[in-house]
Amino acid sequence: LLYRAAFSYQDGRYDETIADLRSVLARQPESERALFMLARTYVTSGEAALAEDTYRSLLALNPALAPARNELAAIVAGRGDLTEAEKLLRSALESTPGDETASRNLVLALLRQGNYQAAATEAERM
């Protein structure tokens, strides 16, 4: 089902992708791969709220998964909660200090908040 979901995703058949991934998760609720694919499918299909919930479920299983935390931060920032996005990105950097994506996104979030000193500090650390 994971392979079929990947092919469906690649072909733009998101409803089929979601159905297959939900079937996987019904049998294996802690499948990080299925949760990650499902979250990305929700993002691609425009279901930001479902993507956010799925990323949070994934991070509950594996808090150190930096790509998931970065993608969740992007969704949260997209809905305008820059403070929460900053917290997520700082958390990502605590577990993976060399994560350039998290660092760049943190600088952007800080700039959007008008916190120029913190943005400059993070840019220098980066």
Side-chain angles (χ1 to χ4, degrees):
L1 287 174
L2 284 172
Y3 288 119
R4 189 167 78 179
F7 288 124
S8 295
Y9 180 88
Q10 190 175 29
D11 293 340
R13 298 187 321 265
Y14 304 126
D15 290 339
E16 292 175 31
T17 304
I18 291 168
D20 285 343
L21 293 171
R22 285 183 177 167
S23 293
V24 170
L25 290 167
R27 293 182 193 118
Q28 299 173 334
E30 295 186 0
S31 171
E32 291 181 21
R33 184 173 178 193
L35 282 167
F36 205 20
M37 288 175 65
L38 183 59
R40 284 186 169 170
T41 302
Y42 283 141
V43 168
T44 304
S45 65
E47 299 287 343
L50 291 172
E52 183 175 341
D53 288 344
T54 306
Y55 278 123
R56 289 189 189 281
S57 296
L58 176 58
L59 289 168
L61 290 173
N62 184 353
L65 196 58
R69 192 169 303 279
N70 288 335
E71 291 172 27
L72 174 59
I75 292 169
V76 169
R79 68 173 163 76
D81 192 347
L82 296 173
T83 303
E84 175 69 13
E86 178 186 348
K87 287 178 189 176
L88 288 164
L89 293 165
R90 287 192 185 280
S91 177
L93 289 167
E94 284 176 14
S95 63
T96 314
D99 185 344
E100 291 181 21
T101 301
S103 191
R104 267 187 264 116
N105 289 337
L106 178 57
V107 170
L108 291 173
L110 291 167
L111 288 171
R112 287 178 61 193
Q113 291 178 62
N115 192 344
Y116 303 115
Q117 181 60 42
T121 300
E122 178 58 27
E124 288 173 15
R125 187 201 68 80
M126 185 171 55

